[in-house]
Amino acid sequence: MILVNVLLFVAIASGILLLMISAEDSGLERGLKMREAARAQAIARGGEVSAVVALRRDAAVAPDNDNRSEPWGALAERGAPIEGGSFDLAIADAQGRFNVNAVMQPDPVAAEALGRIAAAVGMTPEQTVRAVAAIRAAGPLTDIRPLGALGLAPAQVARLSGLLTALPYDSKINLNAASEDLLGIMTGDPMAARRIVALRDRQGYVTAADLASIDVAMPQGTGLTSNLFWVRTRVRIGDTSQQITSLIARKDDGMGGKAAAVVGRWMGASAPVQAPALP
């Protein structure tokens, strides 16, 4: 009987010890994951800061043209190795699409541009009017997803996602960032759009002189510079993944130059559909 009691006591003590060890291991694992997450987030924020610095410098040294061949475009990384994991960064000119918030106020140029885009994707005049009303009622928008509730066909929504964006400030379409599809709509001439893209692909950018040389007039509501940019970072360390999507704006600093700062930030995988995809 004594032996049975001893064995029972040992079994109970062993169980308690096992629970204590398991709890300690679980606590250590949670602590490790928290440290990994904190480190991953710090590295992701570092990528964001790098983009801010590069865009501020670009505004100072090349204020007349913005294009991906500039140093800020070289910040992009895909699976860059870091200690214990990897780092991805996507950066994009946010002004390569028409900003739907431009129709928040009566603006004939913006209204005409949206009308052209709507007609190009097969929207009826009634749908276009409803779209403008929806933007004005809910805007300024931060994402173009709500426009999918207008009863459009999936193919129309898919095409619009490459033509429209939702930005917090007035912004012209940068011809150095716009797709051939949007260029064709804005110029009203698909062949002119093709010439712009061919020239842009050849030298990395187009200038006003380049447009004149290929006999293309710059459409209203477009330009060759940008002040709004997307940067998206993802850091993987161990089993932890951290993502940050940021909208960076350049504004006059009051001293003849421009400052760059984050004006929108989304944590995790949720981000506006117009933000660049990570590799």
Side-chain angles (χ1 to χ4, degrees):
M1 186 66 180
I2 294 175
L3 179 60
V4 171
N5 289 337
V6 169
L7 292 175
L8 180 61
F9 175 78
V10 170
I12 293 172
S14 298
I16 293 172
L17 181 60
L18 182 60
L19 287 173
M20 291 174 64
I21 292 172
S22 297
E24 184 176 353
D25 287 345
S26 179
L28 290 172
E29 185 177 351
R30 282 197 302 271
L32 177 61
K33 286 186 178 296
M34 289 176 65
R35 287 194 297 272
E36 287 178 345
R39 180 167 167 253
Q41 190 169 109
I43 295 172
R45 289 292 293 271
E48 178 189 84
V49 171
S50 297
V52 169
V53 172
L55 291 168
R56 185 185 301 136
R57 184 182 301 118
D58 174 73
V61 301
D64 299 325
N65 198 291
D66 288 304
N67 59 82
R68 282 198 63 85
S69 67
E70 294 180 306
W72 61 263
L75 292 176
E77 292 284 359
R78 178 172 183 161
I82 59 174
E83 184 181 351
S86 62
F87 173 77
D88 300 298
L89 187 148
I91 187 167
D93 190 322
Q95 292 179 218
R97 303 173 186 179
F98 174 76
N99 181 11
V100 295
N101 289 322
V103 300
M104 285 288 294
Q105 302 296 329
D107 181 342
V109 173
E112 181 185 0
L114 183 58
R116 285 188 177 196
I117 293 169
V121 302
M123 290 174 61
T124 65
E126 292 76 15
Q127 287 176 319
T128 305
V129 170
R130 285 169 50 208
V132 172
I135 293 166
R136 289 177 176 171
L141 302 180
T142 58
D143 198 326
I144 62 169
R145 286 187 181 96
L147 298 181
L150 295 173
L152 304 178
Q156 290 176 306
V157 174
R159 190 177 175 194
L160 282 174
S161 69
L163 300 171
L164 304 179
T165 188
L167 300 172
Y169 306 113
D170 290 340
S171 55
K172 292 184 176 182
I173 297 169
N174 186 346
L175 299 183
N176 281 306
S179 66
E180 184 175 335
D181 190 10
L182 183 55
L183 290 171
I185 294 170
M186 296 303 295
T187 60
D189 184 349
M191 292 303 296
R194 198 163 300 163
R195 292 198 298 274
I196 293 172
V197 171
L199 183 58
R200 194 173 66 186
D201 289 346
R202 186 163 62 249
Q203 63 185 28
Y205 58 89
V206 293
T207 65
D210 291 329
L211 295 177
S213 72
I214 58 175
D215 197 26
V216 175
M218 190 177 298
Q220 285 188 302
T222 69
L224 299 170
T225 61
S226 296
N227 284 318
L228 290 159
F229 298 82
W230 291 107
V231 61
R232 196 167 187 178
T233 56
R234 177 176 59 206
V235 179
R236 292 189 177 103
I237 298 177
D239 295 329
T240 299
S241 177
Q242 292 286 320
Q243 289 188 43
I244 300 177
T245 302
S246 311
L247 181 63
I248 299 172
R250 296 193 297 207
K251 298 181 181 180
D252 293 337
D253 61 8
M255 297 180 290
K258 284 193 174 181
V262 175
V263 295
R265 184 181 290 119
W266 295 260
M267 308 300 292
S270 63
V273 68
Q274 61 268 27
L278 283 163

